Amino acid sequence: MRIRDLPYPDPGDPDVRSGFRLMLWLWRSQLGGQLKALAWGTLHMAAVASFPLAVGMAVQAATERSGDRLALAGALTVALGLAVTASDTMLHRAAITNWITAAARVQQLLARRTAALGAALTRRVAAGEVVAVSTGDIEKIGWFVEAVSRFGAASLTTAGVCTALVVYEPLLGAVVTLGVLALVAAVLPLLPPATRRADAQRAKAGRATELAADTVAGLRVLRGIGGEELFLGRYRRASQEVRRAAVRTARMWSLIDAVQVVLPGVLLIAVVWLGARLALDGTVAVGELVTVYGAVTFLLFPLRLFQEIAMAYSFSRPSAERAARVLALSRGTRTQDAVGRRDGARTLPDGDLYDPVSGLLAPAGSLTAVVCGDPDTAGRLAERLGGHGTESAAQAPSVLLGGVALDEVPLEAARAAVLVQDKDPVLLSGTLGELLDVPSSGAVAPGQALEAAQCGDVLAALARAGGAPDGDPMRARITERGRSLSGGQRQRLALARSLVADPRVLVLDEPTSAVDSHTEARVADALRRLRAGRTTVVFSSSPLLLDRADRVAFVSGGAVTAVGTHRELLANEPGYRAVVTRETGGDDDHDTGGTGMAGEGGLAAGPAGSRGPRHERMEESA
């Protein structure tokens, strides 16, 4: 795989049983590139290691006044120089390719896992961990995977040089070989504490990243309650802990660096002293002494690579562990995920939507409203209906669409069949036209969707904002997460995006909680008209929406306890009436989240579903 060929058509199925197994799988996945780097690295180091031989030949030729041997030494030096230049260039190319392709493979795997899990990802893994894995961790993993081939080349060359020295000059060669083994043995005990300190630093950095992400995400709320300084103080303390941990880690690696400098220096002094005595005794020639000295000097280079591989492993192992934890997550079972990737057919199921856990049934082609006293229960149920639940297939049976389990449907088909819009939808940055450019059936035009979602004032505001070329609101830019818009405007644009997609089943969680009652009534009428013949499920406690539904299901304690029309349930179901009208004297057995109040956006209503002026919701400010 070349860099220009990225991304991979299929990054493969990783071994996520542990971080080490993941890195081993990555190494095997690019075996051709690793062998290429190993070959070029071995050639490069062998050529560098041979320079002392050429220098020793030249010194010996000069001592013996042999012009032919001096010419041979010069020719050998030129050949080795060309070999070093070519091999170093190709080694660098191969190493960088291995690093980038390994990191790109992990990045693709993470993107695929994120797409498979959807909104359930951040409820199963901390947001800071996800950020750490998708940014710095992939580079560290790629670093170790790439360094393995260079470490292999260094090991082969070191073994070859020590063997050649023993053959060339047995006494000096034996001293050098024992000295190299002693150097390695001296460094090995220092690696575990260095690894532990690096792990502690990574853990503290992950917590600081998570705290920073939470602070930025909740900045508007923090400003509203005056809690900015409190959270900034927490982040300052967390960042100082990261700094102190980084200093402790750096001290250990500095000690390892010092050992790598002092002990090789001692070895070099010992070899020179012994070699000089042997030369004075006439046991070795001057050229042989120069050769041995040059070989010992060369060995300092692969020894530095031994330190690099140890450092790369200590830094990449926790990163690989985090990546393996994220990649091990599945929307159902691993088998179902694999089937979803292999089967690209868009065989979309159709029919009634049924959840066997709660007993909720949404007949095909109808508008079904769901009332839950607890907003968290509503959110979890909405996610289950779209196949985004956090439970595995062993913990809870899958939702059925037309009698087919969503967990058994290829992921692409399941996402195309059922679309879930949660109560806090995200608007990606870009133009309004790009926002509405989503995979769709083509039956609903963007203009129709915007009109149905009552986005006229949003379009006018975008056109007046000055960011729309020629006053065209479809070309106006929307900031990250739509932060320049009010809550109600974001909510209606998100609804328009969902309507454009025109899925067979549309699940909406509190789609009008941030709009006023007049706008909500128009949205409810347009939603019923535009989604005629399509299955729509709306989680809401708003009488304006409930009164327009074909059927209403009341969920209490996680299960459906009553089904009927809005007016029937108001008259016959005390728990339902307490949630919708916010009565506090209703049945104590219903689940109202412990307050007897409606969830977000709940409205008071009389017997006919009307509401008084004091219950009307005003649109959120930006």
Side-chain angles (χ1 to χ4, degrees), residues 7 9 26 32 40 77 117 144 156 180-181 187 206 223 240 246 271 278 307-308 326 400 472 508 538 573 583 613:
L26 287 170
W40 286 117
T77 302
L117 292 172
F144 175 75
L156 290 175
V180 169
L181 294 176
V187 172
R223 285 175 175 170
Q240 287 302 311
V271 169
L278 294 175
Q307 177 189 349
E308 180 186 351
V326 175
L400 305 177
D472 182 5
L508 304 172
V538 180
E573 182 60 39
E583 292 180 355

Side-chain angles (χ1 to χ4, degrees), residues 16-396:
V16 294
R17 288 176 290 177
S18 68
F20 177 77
R21 289 179 181 272
L22 174 62
M23 291 190 291
L24 182 61
W25 176 84
L26 287 170
W27 185 87
R28 292 198 308 265
S29 298
Q30 51 176 225
L31 186 59
Q34 293 287 345
L35 293 177
K36 185 183 298 184
L38 177 63
W40 286 117
T42 303
L43 176 60
H44 171 65
M45 293 188 184
V48 174
S50 299
F51 267 109
L53 178 61
V55 174
M57 289 177 58
V59 171
Q60 192 65 31
T63 303
E64 297 175 356
R65 299 182 180 276
S66 173
D68 293 339
R69 296 189 62 183
L70 187 61
L72 179 61
L76 180 59
T77 302
V78 172
L80 291 176
L82 294 175
V84 168
T85 302
S87 59
D88 190 26
T89 301
M90 298 307 298
L91 172 62
H92 183 74
R93 287 173 59 91
I96 294 299
T97 299
N98 289 339
W99 188 339
I100 293 178
T101 52
R105 190 186 296 272
V106 177
Q107 199 166 42
Q108 279 188 251
L109 291 170
L110 290 170
R112 186 174 69 182
R113 182 55 44 208
T114 301
L117 292 172
L121 175 63
T122 53
R123 281 183 291 277
R124 302 171 68 175
V125 181
E129 187 167 348
V130 176
V131 173
V133 170
S134 59
T135 53
D137 282 346
I138 59 174
E139 293 187 6
K140 296 182 180 67
I141 295 171
W143 175 27
F144 175 75
V145 173
E146 172 275 321
V148 169
S149 57
R150 291 188 293 112
F151 172 71
S155 300
L156 290 175
T157 308
T158 300
V161 169
C162 290
T163 302
L165 286 177
V166 171
V167 174
Y168 185 72
E169 181 54 52
L171 180 58
L172 290 177
V175 171
V176 171
T177 301
L178 292 176
V180 169
L181 294 176
L183 289 177
V184 175
V187 172
L188 287 178
L190 301 177
L191 295 180
T195 301
R196 288 193 295 269
R197 292 189 181 190
D199 290 348
Q201 178 188 347
R202 296 296 178 284
K204 293 180 182 296
R207 287 194 291 269
T209 301
E210 183 177 353
L211 180 60
D214 291 342
T215 302
V216 172
L219 193 57
R220 291 177 61 194
V221 177
L222 293 176
R223 285 175 175 170
I225 63 176
E228 296 171 83
E229 286 303 322
L230 174 63
F231 275 79
L232 286 175
R234 291 180 181 176
Y235 180 74
R236 290 190 187 99
R237 288 192 294 272
S239 64
Q240 287 302 311
E241 290 180 4
V242 175
R243 181 189 61 79
R244 287 191 289 269
V247 170
R248 293 185 71 246
T249 304
R251 286 174 179 168
M252 182 56 68
W253 287 112
S254 297
L255 176 60
I256 294 175
D257 281 336
V259 171
Q260 292 285 298
V261 172
V262 173
L263 295 186
V266 172
L267 174 62
L268 188 59
I269 292 172
V271 169
V272 171
W273 177 81
L274 179 59
R277 291 184 62 86
L278 294 175
L280 290 174
D281 294 340
T283 306
V284 298
V286 175
E288 293 175 343
L289 177 60
V290 172
T291 300
V292 174
Y293 172 80
V296 174
T297 304
F298 160 77
L299 287 176
L300 302 183
F301 172 55
L303 286 175
R304 302 295 295 182
L305 289 179
F306 297 162
Q307 177 189 349
E308 180 186 351
I309 194 68
M311 182 182 294
Y313 179 73
S314 67
F315 276 77
S316 63
R317 186 182 59 79
S319 297
E321 293 289 350
R322 280 196 294 262
R325 283 196 298 270
V326 175
L327 294 176
L329 300 175
S330 61
R331 80 174 172 120
T333 64
R334 289 180 59 84
T335 302
Q336 292 158 0
D337 284 348
V339 170
R341 288 194 297 271
R342 290 195 301 269
D343 185 1
R346 292 176 59 87
T347 305
L348 301 185
D350 199 5
D352 296 345
L353 184 66
Y354 176 68
D355 176 26
V357 176
S358 65
L360 175 63
L361 173 66
S366 65
L367 173 59
T368 302
V370 182
V371 176
C372 296
D374 182 7
D376 293 335
T377 300
R380 289 192 295 268
L381 182 52
E383 292 165 3
R384 274 190 50 76
L385 293 180
H388 302 284
T390 58
E391 308 92 345
S392 67
Q395 295 173 316

Side-chain angles (χ1 to χ4, degrees), residues 348-582:
L348 301 185
D350 199 5
D352 296 345
L353 184 66
Y354 176 68
D355 176 26
V357 176
S358 65
L360 175 63
L361 173 66
S366 65
L367 173 59
T368 302
V370 182
V371 176
C372 296
D374 182 7
D376 293 335
T377 300
R380 289 192 295 268
L381 182 52
E383 292 165 3
R384 274 190 50 76
L385 293 180
H388 302 284
T390 58
E391 308 92 345
S392 67
Q395 295 173 316
S398 170
V399 170
L400 305 177
L401 179 58
V404 179
L406 278 184
D407 280 354
E408 298 176 359
V409 176
L411 181 60
E412 182 182 1
R415 293 287 167 82
V418 183
L419 173 63
V420 179
Q421 176 182 309
D422 61 24
K423 67 181 63 178
D424 186 22
V426 175
L427 303 182
L428 302 179
S429 60
T431 65
L432 179 57
E434 292 171 342
L435 176 70
L436 300 179
D437 185 16
V438 295
S440 65
S441 66
V444 179
Q448 291 177 281
L450 290 168
E451 182 180 358
Q454 304 300 307
C455 294
D457 64 318
V458 183
L459 298 179
L462 290 174
R464 291 194 305 267
D470 303 324
D472 182 5
M474 299 301 291
R475 299 173 63 185
R477 296 201 64 81
I478 297 175
T479 57
E480 179 188 4
R481 300 179 67 92
R483 297 188 187 280
S484 59
L485 304 172
S486 71
Q489 290 173 332
R490 289 196 300 270
Q491 198 172 61
R492 283 177 285 154
L493 284 180
L495 176 59
R497 179 178 57 186
S498 299
L499 294 175
V500 167
D502 190 38
R504 294 189 177 183
V505 179
L506 177 60
V507 180
L508 304 172
D509 187 6
E510 294 288 359
T512 57
S513 61
V515 302
D516 61 82
S517 58
H518 301 290
T519 303
E520 184 179 38
R522 293 194 294 269
V523 168
D525 290 332
L527 179 64
R528 180 180 178 87
R529 181 177 62 256
L530 196 62
R531 292 287 300 172
R534 295 286 201 183
T535 306
T536 307
V537 181
V538 180
F539 286 81
S540 178
S541 57
S542 165
L544 290 173
L545 281 172
L546 299 175
D547 200 34
R548 288 161 174 78
D550 296 314
R551 54 185 271 137
V552 180
F554 177 53
V555 176
S556 177
V560 175
T561 58
V563 178
T565 66
H566 169 57
R567 296 169 189 259
E568 290 172 349
L569 293 178
L570 276 178
N572 303 320
E573 182 60 39
Y576 176 85
R577 184 169 55 248
V579 172
V580 174
T581 64
R582 295 188 175 184

